[in-house]
Amino acid sequence: MTETARTVHQTARPHGFPTPGDFAFVESALPEPAPGTALVENLYWSVDPYHREMMDGEFALNAPLEGRALGRVVESRDPALREGELVFHRQGWRTHSVVTPEEARALPRFDGVPLSAHLSILGGTGLTAYVGLTRVAELREGQDVFVSAAAGAVGTATGRLARLMGAGRLVGSAGTAAKAAYLTEHVGYDAAFDYHTGPTAELLAKAAPDGIDLYIDNVGGEPLEAAISSLREFGRIVRIGTIAQYNSTGAPYTLRNLPDIVEKSLRMEGFHVRNHRDAQEELYEFVVPHLQSGRVGLDETVVEGFDGIVDAFLGMLRGENRGKIIVRAAGAPSDALGV
Ligand code: NAP
């Protein structure tokens, strides 16, 4: 094992879109696990839009960043963390992490399911989509759904799960024609459009001429306004995120059709996936058999090598990902058996 650990620090607060200069790779000696902890060599990292929100204040400057990661326990000073075990934890953006048993969760092994799935459809991404559709939206069979940022991590998972749950017409918006084609050809969407090609309200009205019952909102702003116009009476909006605003330096988008929420008796509700971790087992039970049978495929963009983690993050904010963006350590195994 190497004697050096590498960590990513945030070194400046971005104004608008972050740049590589807002980050630094810092080398240090390999950390020593204290009693009650274990050293984990990280294999896969997740970079997420919420990291951009944290860059405005919650991430301390010149200190290791945090994020979801999968790794292998390489040295343990606690019997609850066995050497060789694969674990999930939240001390990512570094090659090595020291964790307590409370901070790490052993990964379940599902035959034939790649490890990366624990950061995509079986991880926080899939859980967000699952909770949004079930607990918040209470999706019923045959209901018509519109999803924004549909070709991203939560958007592709939402499409896959909504299809399994018997949704009616599934419509997605995404940033390029190629992403829109991917949604209809691979993910199970019935229609998809590139939101750069016209006003979203017009594109949505064309893709869902009879209206929608449910809007899964990853973006806020213009697609939210468009969805309010397309929703039928008693429709629902699930607020998942506001990525249109995270890098914006201008005034937030003003919704012009708020009265429609009253006129059509719409319900809008947001949630945080961190408050629904109790749904994790339910998600495994629902999705794993479909992954194993091949009915559900993985939507992932995998970046090779820890060196690429900052570029992967910035690329995701620019829309360069299709599905969940994941960074993989050079030589990392692709499945839990180590192959
Ligand atoms: P993602 O969709 O994989 O990646 C972000 C995508 O957003 C990009 O690929 C880009 O795709 C799109 N985007 C970027 N800027 C945009 C803009 N100005 N307008 C419209 N689209 C834009 O990321 P994710 O992890 O699935 O997250 C999606 C949303 O869910 C985010 O808002 C995130 O904060 C939220 N989230 C919330 C929770 C929760 O617990 N509530 C959990 C996870 C994620 P295009 O090419 O299509 O523009």
Side-chain angles (χ1 to χ4, degrees), residues 64-84:
L65 300 183
E66 308 229 325
R68 301 185 191 113
L70 308 181
R72 191 185 298 283
V73 177
V74 287
E75 189 182 344
S76 180
R77 299 194 62 193
D78 191 290
L81 291 165
R82 285 184 295 108
E83 285 178 17

Side-chain angles (χ1 to χ4, degrees), residues 6 12 27 49 127 155 178 192 248 251 270 275 320 323 326 328:
R6 299 179 74 216
E27 281 197 8
L127 197 62
S248 167
N275 296 324
E320 288 167 11
I326 292 169
R328 173 183 145 122

Side-chain angles (χ1 to χ4, degrees), residues 188-263:
Y189 279 83
D190 297 295
F193 57 83
D194 171 0
Y195 61 83
H196 295 107
T197 56
T200 306
E202 284 175 23
L203 297 167
L204 177 58
K206 209 166 145 199
D210 299 327
I212 55 172
D213 299 297
L214 170 63
Y215 171 47
I216 302 289
D217 187 16
N218 291 309
V219 171
E222 193 186 344
L224 174 56
E225 184 176 83
I228 291 171
S229 293
S230 277
L231 277 159
R232 302 182 183 121
E233 198 175 19
F234 307 118
R236 279 141 305 132
I237 298 161
V238 177
R239 292 278 301 116
I240 291 191
T242 319
I243 195 150
Q245 231 169 277
Y246 300 164
N247 293 305
S248 167
T249 49
Y253 191 92
T254 303
L255 298 174
R256 291 165 295 182
N257 55 358
L258 273 178
D260 286 3
I261 293 188
V262 178
E263 297 310 319

Side-chain angles (χ1 to χ4, degrees), residues 47-50 53 68 124-125 128 149-155 173-176 179 195-196 217-219 223 239-247 271-274 315-325:
V47 287
D48 295 270
Y50 79 86
E53 295 182 274
R68 301 185 191 113
T125 288
T128 302
V154 173
S173 63
T176 65
K179 283 184 169 185
Y195 61 83
H196 295 107
D217 187 16
N218 291 309
V219 171
R239 292 278 301 116
I240 291 191
T242 319
I243 195 150
Q245 231 169 277
Y246 300 164
N247 293 305
F271 74 98
H272 257 302
V273 69
R274 64 169 177 254
M316 177 274 298
L317 292 177
R318 282 193 294 266
E320 288 167 11
N321 58 310
R322 203 172 59 185
K324 177 75 189 103
I325 190 141

Side-chain angles (χ1 to χ4, degrees), residues 85-100:
E85 191 161 47
L86 289 165
V87 293
F88 166 88
H89 63 85
R90 291 172 185 280
Q91 293 182 36
W93 293 81
R94 55 194 107 179
T95 56
H96 297 79
S97 307
V98 172
V99 296
T100 64

